[in-house]
Amino acid sequence: MKFIHTADIHLDSPLCGLASYQNAPTQQLRGASREAFTRLIDAAIDEAVDFMVIAGDLYDGNWRDYNTGHFFVREMGRLNQAGIPVFLLYGNHDAESEMTRRLTLPANVHLFDSRKPMTHRIEALRVALHGRSFKDAATTENLAAGYPDPLPGWLNIGVLHTALEGYAAHARYAPCSLAELQAKGYDYWALGHVHEYAMLSESPWVVFPGNLQGRHIREAGPRGAVLVTASEAGVQGVERLIVDVLRWERLQVDVSEAADLPAVLALAGRALELLLLAQTGSWPLAVRVNICGRTPAHGALFGLEAQLREEILALASALGGERLWIEKLKLETTAALGAEQIGARAGAIADLQALLAEVPQDADFMRGLAEDLQQLTAKAPLELIEALPEFKAIRVGDVAAIVATVAPALLAQLAHAEQGQP
């Protein structure tokens, strides 16, 4: 016997805001959640699974129109024609309190009640699925505590949308403990709500499949569902079923050895090339690039974040065409010479460091600096204002962060130049 366990599909969610990113692959983002779900349905039919479990957050709140519901009904119809039943539990995003639109679902889709826990039985397989849907989005009671006892001699599956414990990044809906689930006597817990894949236990099996398609950089790496195999002896194995169509990745580029901007770009290009070579499929990549390291180029890079992004976008286009998109570039380098090393040296640079260290405590100086910078930014062209995020802080008179950033970069550049280097 085989079944698919999936959750956190969030149909049509990638439409929300992502298309506003510069140079974003809008068409790919627009259809990513649907295409990933279609791939899952294809896999279910190809594998001839006995049933599918959806453990909550099928939708992403109320539909903008009926097309979202029509798409789901159509995909369920494909499973119905293949003789594959589906057991659907509603989570916080598709709770009854969140949904105002409904469509009649095909006969193969079986819902879990939101008023009390219920059990669906598959007599031919001697499988019992226990679960309870969310009635309200903010369900903070322990739903698992009321789940029925396991049926003796059957394969018992608990379906639950929960933050469980220890997942601070997720709202604590339907909270319960892992020990509590293990003590229930079920063979498998099909969980949802946490978007990262996690196998928390094998005795019994307690599994978060993760979400089906990454929607932003916080959901990086491969995404999909799980394929579970079982026999009369119980669950035999769980394997990931990767179906995402666009993948988010973080790329750390260490530029410690770079002396200038061209050297930084060369290292970034090589890192992007290696990232592409490491892929085992041809899915598009949305990449956040972090330029980091203690580098002689630190001072030379100050204020060039916008230019760096454009240069790296060009590198990405040359290497990957439409397959590679730079979601964001973050410049997180530090000076090759630390404050202690500069301070230990005699001369004008050490004196300048001491002076700069006192600047943040000089209220009159900081106020005058803010006023001068505000006058400067008022005359700046629009493209420069948009290119430098520091301008937003200047407008509200917050120059402390700018001083803290500029001072080390200035000292590093001067010290670098003093040593006779470019």
Side-chain angles (χ1 to χ4, degrees), residues 12 44 59 217 311:
D12 290 341
Y59 301 115
I217 193 60
E311 295 278 11

Side-chain angles (χ1 to χ4, degrees), residues 30-325:
R30 181 173 290 116
S33 64
R34 291 194 182 195
E35 188 175 345
F37 191 62
T38 295
R39 286 188 178 187
L40 182 68
I41 302 305
D42 290 343
I45 294 170
D46 291 344
E47 291 282 347
V49 298
D50 293 278
F51 58 93
M52 178 183 289
V53 178
I54 302 177
D57 286 359
L58 165 65
Y59 301 115
D60 197 54
N62 199 21
W63 314 334
R64 298 179 65 178
D65 56 47
Y66 275 99
N67 286 329
T68 302
H70 288 155
F71 169 78
F72 178 66
V73 169
R74 184 165 62 249
E75 295 301 314
M76 292 300 96
R78 292 175 59 205
L79 292 182
N80 192 29
Q81 293 172 15
I84 300 173
V86 178
F87 299 90
L88 172 60
L89 180 141
Y90 287 144
N92 55 292
H93 277 275
D94 36 33
E96 289 184 7
S97 60
E98 292 292 295
M99 305 300 295
T100 60
R101 296 180 175 89
R102 297 286 187 190
L103 289 172
T104 301
L105 298 174
N108 64 319
V109 181
H110 308 279
L111 297 176
F112 287 96
D113 198 291
S114 65
R115 294 166 296 178
K116 61 181 181 179
M118 66 176 298
T119 299
H120 289 292
R121 293 173 173 82
I122 307 177
E123 298 285 346
L125 299 174
R126 294 183 64 80
V127 170
L129 299 102
H130 315 280
R132 179 180 171 184
S133 289
F134 278 33
K135 184 174 182 60
D136 298 304
T139 296
T140 56
E141 64 178 294
N142 183 346
L143 299 182
Y147 278 31
D149 293 334
L151 296 184
W154 287 51
L155 184 79
N156 288 270
I157 300 172
V159 186
L160 179 65
H161 198 77
T162 177
L164 207 57
E165 55 186 1
Y167 288 92
H170 297 268
R172 287 184 56 79
Y173 295 143
C176 59
S177 69
L178 176 60
E180 184 178 359
L181 299 186
Q182 291 171 325
K184 195 71 180 181
Y186 294 173
D187 300 280
Y188 185 94
W189 279 97
L191 304 184
H193 186 54
V194 173
H195 288 191
E196 296 298 324
Y197 167 74
M199 187 181 297
L200 304 178
S201 170
E202 293 185 18
S203 182
W205 297 81
V206 181
V207 180
F208 282 112
N211 61 341
L212 210 60
Q213 169 62 56
R215 301 169 299 160
H216 44 68
I217 193 60
R218 295 188 303 277
E219 297 176 350
R223 302 278 154 171
V226 292
L227 178 66
V228 184
T229 57
S231 69
E232 292 180 353
V235 174
Q236 302 300 305
V238 176
E239 62 179 286
R240 294 194 74 183
L241 195 60
I242 304 302
V243 297
D244 55 350
V245 298
L246 180 144
R247 190 160 298 173
W248 300 80
E249 296 285 357
R250 296 179 184 270
L251 183 64
Q252 293 286 114
V253 182
D254 187 342
V255 296
S256 300
E257 302 302 318
D260 52 25
L261 177 60
V264 169
L265 292 174
L267 289 169
R270 180 57 179 161
L272 287 169
E273 187 177 2
L274 291 174
L275 177 65
L276 282 171
L277 290 172
Q279 304 305 309
T280 57
S282 58
W283 45 76
L285 297 176
V287 184
R288 176 169 293 184
V289 179
N290 288 64
I291 305 293
C292 59
R294 189 169 179 170
T295 172
H298 175 69
L301 294 176
F302 175 73
L304 296 182
E305 192 161 345
Q307 180 183 341
L308 262 178
R309 185 180 192 279
E310 296 303 325
E311 295 278 11
I312 291 177
L313 275 172
L315 287 172
S317 296
L319 287 169
E322 296 182 355
R323 186 185 167 199
L324 194 57
W325 169 52

